[in-house]
Amino acid sequence: MTAAPVLTVRRVVTTRAGGFSAPPYDSFNLGDHVGDDPEAVRRNRARLADTLGLPADHVIWMEQIHGRTIATVDGPRTEPFPGTDALITTRPGLALVVLSADCVPLLLSDDEAGVVAAVHAGRVGARIGIVPRVLEAMVAAGARPDRIGALLGPAASGRQYEVPAAMRADVEAHLPGSATTTVRGTPGLDLRAGIRRQLTAAGVTAVAEDPRCTIEDTALFSHRRGAPTGRLGSVIWMESGTA
């Protein structure tokens, strides 16, 4: 009897610790666009790939622009996908990375269909609908919403993410459930709450959330708490094996 192939989905979220970058990017900064020493970023990215047990060209990066462009990853790659805020693949062994420092990193998978995605869902991208577009792309690749699992990574919390009242109202109109009031009694946004509601409305019921607030937790990078700063990586990939 031939052993049946089995896919295991892995997810990793990095912190500030364990890298080569000097302050204010100390020390495991994975962003190559924030003013850090390029050699330090290269070494940090190489360390991430080594820790994941993958060749460097199997760790796939994006040049994130707060848009809603999606790229399909079908093989190893040495350069980031330009102008992209979501990656999707059906290929085991390719790790998709989303960078963040207050925006919401969203990792999605249909383990049965063998489809995974990594999404950069900041205020602008979430407002203009990147999440529904990614779900549509996953379904086109064979996924089903009721089988998709989602992880909302560490991000600015509604307790701390202060915005003007007009901006809160605008985002709430496009991403219902995101309006909140901060601990200071000022208008705020909870993008993870809005995205969770959006996922649930689309039929995704298995939604997990990393509760950490990037603004509050000094083990994480936060652009709002102290710019310039580095970027965290949230990573998803599939490993193939046999049962």
Side-chain angles (χ1 to χ4, degrees):
M1 180 181 293
T2 302
V6 174
L7 288 175
T8 302
V9 175
R10 305 291 189 191
R11 300 169 187 83
V12 166
V13 178
T14 67
T15 67
R16 295 185 71 134
F20 300 97
S21 297
Y25 307 102
D26 48 325
S27 63
F28 199 53
N29 165 47
L30 296 170
D32 63 356
H33 62 294
V34 294
D36 194 5
D37 175 16
E39 177 60 16
V41 177
R42 185 197 67 76
R43 294 176 71 190
N44 288 340
R45 290 187 173 192
R47 174 167 284 182
L48 176 65
D50 185 62
T51 301
L52 299 181
L54 295 171
D57 63 355
H58 284 55
V59 181
I60 312 300
W61 306 85
M62 297 181 274
E63 179 191 75
Q64 299 167 188
I65 59 169
H66 299 276
R68 54 180 181 179
T69 299
I70 303 165
T72 299
V73 183
D74 55 13
R77 186 180 177 95
T78 57
E79 296 297 322
F81 277 91
T84 303
D85 284 274
L87 299 171
I88 182 173
T89 193
T90 58
R91 290 277 302 274
L94 297 176
L96 314 180
V97 186
V98 53
L99 298 173
S100 63
D102 290 330
C103 292
V104 180
L106 174 61
L107 304 178
L108 300 163
S109 69
D110 180 335
D111 300 30
E112 183 176 332
V115 184
V116 297
V119 188
H120 172 234
R123 174 179 55 82
V124 175
R127 178 193 177 280
I128 63 177
I130 184 140
V131 174
R133 285 175 65 92
V134 173
L135 293 175
E136 290 171 3
M138 292 183 72
V139 169
R144 274 187 8 204
D146 63 307
R147 291 195 311 234
I148 292 174
L151 172 64
L152 296 160
S157 69
R159 301 182 302 275
Q160 300 292 343
Y161 187 8
E162 185 175 358
V163 297
M167 180 181 290
R168 179 178 68 174
D170 175 69
V171 175
E172 174 68 18
H174 293 83
L175 187 69
S178 58
T180 189
T181 301
T182 71
V183 293
R184 293 168 294 281
T186 55
L189 288 173
D190 185 343
L191 295 179
R192 286 181 292 190
I195 293 169
R196 175 187 288 273
R197 182 166 163 178
Q198 198 172 55
L199 289 167
T200 301
V204 178
T205 57
V207 183
E209 182 175 325
D210 184 322
R212 291 175 294 174
C213 171
T214 48
I215 297 174
E216 294 174 346
D217 192 335
T218 57
L220 307 173
F221 292 113
S222 170
H223 181 78
R224 283 199 157 226
R225 188 179 66 242
T229 192
R231 296 295 185 270
L232 310 168
S234 296
V235 192
I236 188 167
W237 75 104
M238 294 180 287
E239 293 178 348
S240 57
T242 55

